[in-house]
């Protein structure tokens, strides 16, 4: 993991020494520190309605169906890496309840 950190410009102390340590740190963050806040809501909203890139070679009529499909998979991947139930920290802060209403129908706990 530290090799990856060096490539990304991080110092050795900013990342765990191996994959097992990384997973343990990640699990702790998800279980105890992850929270639903305005920034999370903004990111999910942007993923749900992807904007057409400023290029001339993608016509708007082609972009709309592609964007809908891309948005669906962007939300699915973003939310799909999270646990099926909201972490303790999210529940304690009155965050998402497990409904998929705010995720464009995607499973998970992203709905507020």
């Amino acid at each position: 993991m530290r090799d990856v950190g060096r490539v990304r410009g991080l110092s050795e102390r900013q990342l765990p020494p191996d994959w097992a340590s990384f997973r343990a740190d990640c699990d702790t963050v998800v279980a105890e520190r992850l929270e639903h806040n305005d920034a999370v809501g903004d990111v999910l909203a942007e993923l749900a309605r992807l904007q057409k890139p400023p290029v001339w070679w993608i016509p708007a009529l082609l972009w709309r169906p592609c964007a809908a499909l891309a948005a669906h998979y962007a939300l699915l991947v973003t939310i799909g890496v999270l646990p099926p139930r909201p972490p303790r920290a999210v529940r304690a802060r009155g965050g998402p309840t497990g409904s998929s209403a705010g995720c464009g129908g995607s499973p998970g706990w992203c709905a507020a």
Side-chain angles (χ1 to χ4, degrees):
M1 288 308 302
R2 290 188 172 161
D3 293 337
V4 173
R6 276 193 294 276
V7 169
R8 302 294 299 165
L10 301 172
S11 71
E12 284 197 16
R13 64 177 170 66
Q14 291 176 294
L15 284 174
D18 55 33
W19 182 251
S21 300
F22 173 79
R23 289 297 313 153
D25 287 351
C26 185
D27 291 344
T28 299
V29 167
V30 168
E32 298 174 8
R33 295 182 52 201
L34 191 65
E35 66 181 24
H36 187 273
N37 55 36
D38 290 342
V40 171
D42 291 347
V43 168
L44 293 175
E46 287 299 317
L47 287 174
R49 58 177 189 276
L50 297 175
Q51 300 298 310
K52 181 181 174 296
V55 293
W56 61 269
W57 48 270
I58 300 178
L61 286 174
L62 178 62
W63 175 251
R64 285 186 202 105
C66 293
L69 186 62
H72 171 76
Y73 284 104
L75 285 170
L76 183 66
V77 169
T78 301
I79 296 159
V81 298
L82 297 172
R85 287 183 37 91
R88 203 172 40 242
V90 174
R91 290 192 303 268
R93 292 177 179 89
T97 60
S99 164
S100 62
C103 300
S106 298
W109 52 270
C110 66

